[in-house]
Amino acid sequence: MTQSSTPTTSQQPSSPKRSLGLKPKDWISVGVYAVIYMVLSFAVAMLGYIPVLMPFSGVFIGIVCQTPVMLMALKVRHAGVFTVFGIITALLMGPGQIPTMVCSVVVGILADLICHFGGFTNRNLLIVAVGVFNIWSCGKYIPFFFTRDAYLAQLAKGYGQSYVDQVSGLFPMWMAWLMPVLLFVSGVIGGWIASKLLSKHFEKAGLV
């Protein structure tokens, strides 16, 4: 006499998987994180009112402001998340910041491609993607390098000639090539710091 047995399947914990599209709740989440990120970025960018610190405001943003970006990447594991984040960032910058708006969208697409290779689950690639996204700040410096006279004239109307005289000598042409590297490195550092903070305070609480 034989006994029939039903096959059993072992259940193993599954790692988060990416999806090919953003759901409505994801759009809301990305929008919320984008607003938080921009508020932090504008607060840090206030350091630019000190002329000698103005060239490094994007570096400070990269180091200090990446926690909402990393949190977004960990919670919304979908293709297109950085692209949408870049578009929202561009819109929040306003139409007067065309180079920055273009940079935001371009680096958002590049960051998405980097995350794609890690299935949106590889933490190291997420940190690299955060670093790439921080290069959006490079758009703020493009006028200094390529339309310097017109930009400084416009800057003088808002900040005064004394401020412009101090800032004008801080952007030699060779910095046009160095600035994207500085922004990427600072973004990676900020992404790594954010990853450690989230691991300590959010993942243990089950929030990501």
Side-chain angles (χ1 to χ4, degrees):
M1 184 176 179
T2 61
Q3 295 181 347
S4 61
S5 60
T6 58
T8 59
T9 58
S10 60
Q11 296 182 349
Q12 298 178 351
S14 58
S15 60
K17 298 181 179 179
R18 67 180 178 88
S19 172
L20 294 178
L22 294 176
K23 300 176 181 178
K25 65 177 182 179
D26 298 324
W27 286 83
I28 296 174
S29 296
V30 174
V32 170
Y33 291 126
V35 171
I36 295 173
Y37 173 71
M38 291 306 297
V39 169
L40 290 175
S41 297
F42 280 126
V44 173
M46 296 292 286
L47 292 172
Y49 283 104
I50 304 174
V52 70
L53 296 181
M54 199 274 189
F56 305 103
S57 61
V59 173
F60 297 141
I61 289 173
I63 295 174
V64 176
C65 303
Q66 302 311 313
T67 299
V69 184
M70 180 61 71
L71 184 58
M72 174 203 68
L74 290 173
K75 290 183 70 68
V76 186
R77 298 174 185 265
H78 300 318
V81 61
F82 274 98
T83 301
V84 174
F85 195 78
I87 292 172
I88 295 176
T89 301
L91 293 175
L92 291 175
M93 289 300 300
Q97 300 285 339
I98 299 300
T100 308
M101 294 173 70
V102 173
C103 285
S104 299
V105 176
V106 171
V107 297
I109 295 172
L110 292 176
D112 261 330
L113 291 175
I114 293 171
C115 292
H116 173 76
F117 288 108
F120 286 80
T121 60
N122 186 300
R123 186 66 65 94
N124 291 330
L125 287 181
L126 288 177
I127 292 174
V128 172
V130 169
V132 169
F133 185 78
N134 190 58
I135 300 176
W136 74 267
S137 296
C138 196
K140 298 189 301 181
Y141 305 107
I142 289 177
F144 275 97
F145 299 121
F146 301 105
T147 58
R148 180 182 295 261
D149 293 339
Y151 187 82
L152 290 178
Q154 183 66 29
L155 198 65
K157 295 179 180 180
Y159 294 88
Q161 189 61 43
S162 176
Y163 179 88
V164 170
D165 291 340
Q166 297 179 66
V167 168
S168 59
L170 299 176
F171 286 89
M173 193 62 192
W174 57 265
M175 280 193 68
W177 309 105
L178 180 61
M179 188 60 69
V181 177
L182 292 177
L183 293 174
F184 170 73
V185 172
S186 64
V188 168
I189 294 172
W192 179 82
I193 294 173
S195 177
K196 293 299 181 182
L197 290 174
L198 294 177
S199 296
K200 182 177 181 180
H201 298 290
F202 284 79
E203 289 185 351
K204 290 183 179 180
L207 298 178
V208 294

